[in-house]
Amino acid sequence: MSTFSDLGVPPRFAKKLDERGISSPFEIQAATLPDGLAGLDVCGKAPTGSGKTIAFGLVLAVRLRKSKPGHPGGLVLVPTRELAIQVAKEISLLCDGTDLRVAMVYGGAGYGPQVRAVRGASIVVATPGRLEDLIERGDLSLGSVTIAVLDEADRMSDMGFLPAVRRILRDLPKQRQVLLFSATLDGDISQVVKEFQHDPRRHETKSEEAEPDIDHKFWLVNRNDRVEIVAQMANHFERIILFCRTKHGCDRLAKQLGAAGVRSSIIHGNKSQAQREKSLEEFRRGRSNVLVATDVAARGIHIDDVPCVVHFDPPADHKDYIHRSGRTGRAGSKGVVISLVDPSQRRSVSRLARDAGVEPEFVGPELDVSTNESVKVRPGSLGGVLLTVAAG
Ligand code: ADP
Ligand code: MG
């Protein structure tokens, strides 16, 4: 078993990690850190929860020096605001004890604080749209960037950000290191690799231990019975995320749950940044144990110990199925993913599940002890079958 020091991480950074209980590198970190720290371009493919943030964050923290105001040396592009916040937080921790400051740049929030933060920052973590705004306004220049990171590149592609990403990367200095991380490296992503990376070292992790440990269940239930079922599940699981197709659907479900006595937090695109953060924080801290979300929340955010994810509405496609499901079973903990499937949706859900690499077996709504015993349930709740609504 290697240590961070063995991989070339200077002792003072390794020590800081150790103090946080992070002492053995995860697989993707062990694979990419030696190349990243040597200044080479790296192309990393790994599933969610595998520790990609530290894999690239350490390269920034170790290799960068304090930069001129408004001319960051490090740039991290991410698809969503939530991820920007999370990644910036992690990199700040990694930079603790250095004179590197980290700024966040994302849409849906005022310019003032971001502009001020960028001036003093050596590393900028940004969503592509707002970053281009700031560059256009002259608030920041990428002319001194020596390390650029693309995190969740596949998601940026799905969200239509690749044209902006390309424009940004094209304007970087020619002498720079590019680190690209993604759950998939096919299609458009392989083009970006070709265009912007120089002889990248490619690392894929697919060993058993890096794969999330997730039990996928498909329950046939009538649409009208779903609220009652998830209300019961909310009492059963310590924490649960419910995915809905639309913002309106989220609001409606939260209201219906409220009427059934279940408190929930909501996160979707119509909420302001402040509201979204408040919801996440409530959920993280356990003030509510139910998070009702649209797909915006499916990517990037990491919440420890979410034992159960429910597809309240089926996802739009197999990619969304994977992204939503990836909110559980993270960092080595076990998770259950439950799809609530109306009989009329059975065929389309089958197809989507297979495309996601899961062979669906449609059963009635029940949780049995054998599959469920290592998943965290709320104290006092039943360990066994507890759902009383009959199958559709
Ligand atoms: P990804 O970006 O690959 O989805 P993250 O970077 O968000 O994954 O990491 C998932 C979780 O694992 C985080 O809570 C992180 O702190 C934790 N983690 C990362 N690396 C290690 C490690 N080497 N040892 C213990 N925990 C780790
Ligand atoms: Mg990540």
Side-chain angles (χ1 to χ4, degrees):
M1 173 66 45
S2 67
T3 64
F4 282 100
S5 301
D6 296 341
L7 300 172
V9 176
R12 64 188 179 113
F13 292 94
K15 186 161 163 283
K16 289 267 181 207
L17 283 170
D18 203 48
E19 283 164 13
R20 291 165 56 200
I22 299 177
S23 348
S24 350
F26 283 170
E27 192 186 353
I28 190 70
Q29 295 159 0
T32 59
L33 274 169
D35 288 338
L37 291 170
L40 301 172
D41 283 2
V42 170
C43 180
K45 175 181 166 183
T48 48
S50 58
K52 294 187 284 289
T53 318
I54 290 177
F56 61 75
L58 272 176
V59 175
L60 295 163
V62 172
R63 298 200 67 230
L64 288 175
R65 295 294 165 263
K66 192 173 163 100
S67 43
K68 281 189 302 194
H71 290 73
L75 173 69
V76 182
L77 292 176
V78 296
T80 64
R81 308 184 260 200
E82 280 75 20
L83 195 58
I85 293 165
Q86 206 171 291
V87 166
K89 206 187 242 175
E90 177 64 54
I91 297 178
S92 297
L93 287 173
L94 296 173
C95 291
D96 184 32
T98 72
D99 51 9
L100 301 173
R101 297 287 162 271
V102 182
M104 297 182 273
V105 164
Y106 48 75
Y111 282 81
Q114 294 186 4
V115 169
R116 280 192 292 280
V118 158
R119 255 180 237 140
S122 299
I123 300 171
V124 170
V125 180
T127 55
R130 175 59 68 92
L131 182 71
E132 286 200 294
D133 281 355
L134 292 193
I135 294 170
E136 192 144 307
R137 289 164 42 123
D139 292 320
L140 128 118
S141 151
L142 299 183
S144 301
V145 169
T146 53
I147 307 177
V149 179
L150 268 65
D151 189 22
E152 311 263 5
D154 53 328
R155 185 59 171 172
M156 289 203 274
S157 166
D158 293 347
M159 292 173 76
F161 292 159
L162 280 195
V165 168
R166 283 202 158 87
R167 283 194 296 272
I168 292 165
L169 292 180
R170 237 173 249 144
D171 283 347
L172 294 184
K174 291 291 159 266
Q175 291 293 328
R176 81 294 199 243
Q177 179 181 20
V178 177
L179 310 173
L180 181 148
F181 288 85
S182 183
T184 55
L185 291 175
D186 46 9
D188 287 344
I189 307 303
S190 65
Q191 283 307 113
V192 172
V193 170
K194 247 194 229 137
E195 199 176 338
F196 296 104
Q197 291 197 297
H198 178 70
D199 191 16
R201 302 302 140 113
R202 205 180 152 113
H203 297 282
E204 292 192 18
T205 62
K206 41 179 172 298
S207 80
E208 276 297 306
E209 62 200 18
E211 288 292 331
D213 186 357
I214 298 177
D215 189 11
H216 296 265
K217 294 184 173 298
F218 297 83
W219 288 352
L220 278 177
V221 291
N222 284 320
R223 290 182 63 80
N224 297 336
D225 293 333
R226 293 177 302 170
V227 174
E228 194 180 326
I229 288 179
V230 293
Q232 290 183 50
M233 288 168 66
N235 289 323
H236 182 68
F237 286 102
E238 206 168 76
R239 270 185 238 234
I240 183 165
I241 302 183
L242 309 175
F243 281 107
C244 296
R245 204 170 47 81
T246 65
K247 299 164 192 169
H248 180 65
C250 281
D251 291 335
R252 188 176 46 210
L253 175 58
K255 217 184 223 165
Q256 288 167 324
L257 285 174
V262 176
R263 188 185 145 82
S264 60
S265 305
I266 310 180
I267 177 168
H268 62 55
N270 268 5
K271 300 275 171 194
S272 72
Q273 183 57 24
Q275 285 171 321
R276 285 157 66 154
E277 274 186 57
K278 187 163 158 271
S279 287
L280 269 184
E281 207 47 35
E282 277 178 356
F283 184 65
R284 276 212 181 94
R285 289 168 183 261
R287 298 223 10 247
S288 64
N289 74 315
V290 181
L291 183 68
V292 182
T294 54
D295 288 280
V296 286
R299 251 309 169 114
I301 58 166
H302 176 79
I303 299 165
D304 284 317
D305 290 330
V306 178
C308 181
V309 164
V310 176
H311 300 277
F312 188 81
D313 296 313
D317 58 29
H318 70 281
K319 280 192 184 170
D320 282 340
Y321 182 88
I322 294 169
H323 300 157
R324 287 172 168 194
S325 303
R327 297 310 96 205
T328 186
R330 289 173 69 84
S333 62
K334 207 172 159 69
V336 186
V337 173
I338 297 169
S339 297
L340 301 183
V341 185
D342 186 82
S344 66
Q345 298 165 327
R346 188 176 169 143
R347 275 187 58 190
S348 57
V349 170
S350 286
R351 191 166 342 112
L352 184 151
R354 285 199 192 101
D355 288 344
V358 176
E359 185 57 39
E361 186 194 337
F362 293 92
V363 296
E366 56 172 37
L367 287 167
D368 65 70
V369 199
S370 58
T371 57
N372 198 33
E373 60 192 358
S374 46
V375 169
K376 281 192 186 160
V377 298
R378 276 160 57 111
S381 84
L382 301 169
V385 179
L386 83 166
L387 297 166
T388 53
V389 179

